[in-house]
Amino acid sequence: MSSTSRFNAIRVTADKGQHHAELVSMSLDDLMPGDVVVKVKHSSLNYKDALAITGRAPVVRRFPLVPGIDLAGTVVETSAAAFAVGDDVVLTGWGIGESHDGGFAEYARVQSEWLVPLPGGMTVTTAMSLGTAGFTAMQCVMALEENGVQPGSGDVLVTGATGGVGSIAVALLSGAGYSVTACTGRPEEASRLRESGATDVVHRSEFSEPPKPLARSCWAGAVDVAGSVTLANVLSQMNYGGVVAACGLAHGMDLPTSVAPFILRGVRLIGIDSVMCPVGLRKKVWQRLAAELSPESLCRTTSHIPLDAVIPMAAEMLDGRTKGRIVVDIASL
């Protein structure tokens, strides 16, 4: 592809303090530096992307910028020995869509050390049905396993269970034999959550009251995407030796809790970072996703939109009117 050939992209700008996102025509010359050019086939719309597009939180660290924290596609140019033209690759994190041009464009120029070869048996479509959400969900499952939470340990709670991370976490945990309780603010989604493997469904209002230092113990493990009061309540309800994998802050960055769960019940709070996760672990996560989660199970929780629908869909996501995973079909315009 010529460096001056035009392609479609979403770009965010800030002019005199006014945040703006629009669909534009760009060239490779407009993209940030990197040693690999990827023809992007699919991206996905995440909560962080919605914040970047709307400007409701300071996600974007430099302007102008192509948002999109996920991408999957095919290498079309490379000066890196690790990749060849024609290789299918997946990229999540590493600051793309925040400080480096991301996945909401037909082409991306990135650093080769950020890329992971697409696992055998996985398509680029499936990779973006998972994206950062699936990657994070598997990290959470692995954290529970590594800290001794096994299928026979007791019930595992997943908050935000109709969202991207939560819905995949429910499927992964139930598929591995865990008894999963799904927490959601959408009771109308209870039947779908049970189809995905949840053994029980509870309303998020049960975790919205001011938390007690310790409450009745209920959970051997938990995956929390909410933070704030929700996480504080979850911590207070953990069994002795329980483990919480915390990966989100949808309800806030604060944590109004006490040391009681940690020193009286030996509860462990494990932080999950998907952005700067080292390459070796990334490859293990993607290999497990390829092996343990079928494309058919993802279909129940995945929808597809074209690139020009991303901007309006971002506002809907922040208003709580989306569910599951949203794959962006980049070349569908």
Side-chain angles (χ1 to χ4, degrees):
M1 178 182 179
S2 167
S3 63
T4 58
S5 298
R6 311 301 294 180
F7 57 85
N8 293 309
I10 291 174
R11 186 165 59 179
V12 292
T13 57
D15 182 23
K16 298 179 180 178
Q18 295 298 310
H19 188 98
H20 183 64
E22 63 180 334
L23 184 68
V24 300
S25 174
M26 295 179 63
S27 72
L28 291 182
D29 288 340
D30 298 320
L31 294 175
M32 294 176 187
D35 57 354
V36 176
V37 176
V38 178
K39 181 174 176 56
V40 182
K41 296 180 180 178
H42 301 282
S43 184
S44 65
L45 181 63
N46 300 278
Y47 194 83
K48 185 181 285 187
D49 298 319
L51 292 172
I53 288 169
T54 62
R56 294 192 195 179
V59 169
V60 178
R61 300 173 191 171
R62 58 184 297 179
F63 296 92
L65 185 98
V66 175
I69 64 171
D70 296 339
L71 65 87
T74 303
V75 173
V76 293
E77 292 182 17
T78 177
S79 60
F83 294 96
V85 171
D87 287 348
D88 287 333
V89 293
V90 59
L91 170 53
T92 62
W94 294 116
I96 69 164
E98 300 178 69
S99 56
H100 190 94
D101 288 324
F104 293 157
E106 292 182 76
Y107 290 87
R109 182 187 285 118
V110 298
Q111 299 296 336
S112 56
E113 58 265 29
W114 300 344
L115 295 168
V116 173
L118 194 71
M122 180 180 283
T123 67
V124 289
T125 305
T126 299
M128 287 297 95
S129 295
L130 293 162
T132 288
F135 184 83
T136 304
M138 179 56 85
Q139 284 183 283
C140 290
V141 172
M142 292 168 67
L144 296 183
E145 293 172 346
E146 291 164 3
N147 284 275
V149 181
Q150 299 298 320
S153 300
D155 291 339
V156 175
L157 177 73
V158 177
T159 66
T162 55
V165 174
S167 59
I168 296 174
V170 169
L172 286 169
L173 287 163
S174 61
Y178 290 85
S179 173
V180 183
T181 295
C183 173
T184 180
R186 297 179 175 181
E188 68 275 11
E189 294 293 320
S191 60
R192 185 175 66 84
L193 287 167
R194 288 191 171 91
E195 289 175 3
S196 296
T199 54
D200 196 11
V201 180
V202 296
H203 197 276
R204 70 183 179 197
S205 60
E206 296 186 26
F207 300 86
S208 63
E209 296 298 319
K212 300 176 181 178
L214 288 176
R216 181 174 64 88
S217 59
C218 301
W219 320 111
V223 174
D224 178 66
V225 306
S228 192
V229 171
T230 299
L231 177 54
N233 274 290
V234 171
L235 288 166
S236 75
Q237 297 178 17
M238 298 304 295
N239 295 350
Y240 189 88
V243 180
V244 180
C247 62
L249 42 81
H251 294 170
M253 293 183 67
D254 62 317
L255 184 57
T257 189
S258 73
V259 298
F262 308 106
I263 65 173
L264 297 180
R265 289 186 182 164
V267 172
R268 282 159 290 172
L269 177 61
I270 310 298
I272 303 299
D273 168 52
S274 64
V275 177
M276 303 304 292
C277 175
V279 171
L281 179 56
R282 285 177 185 272
K283 291 180 178 179
K284 292 179 182 178
V285 171
W286 280 108
Q287 289 293 342
R288 285 198 57 176
L289 286 168
E292 298 178 27
L293 200 59
S294 69
E296 292 76 16
S297 66
L298 286 171
C299 289
R300 291 192 295 265
T301 60
T302 303
S303 58
H304 289 251
I305 62 172
L307 185 60
D308 60 358
V310 166
I311 294 173
M313 188 65 72
E316 291 189 29
M317 177 172 281
L318 295 186
D319 291 341
R321 291 183 282 130
T322 62
K323 58 187 179 183
R325 293 287 295 146
I326 300 173
V327 173
V328 182
D329 298 328
I330 297 296
S332 61
L333 283 179

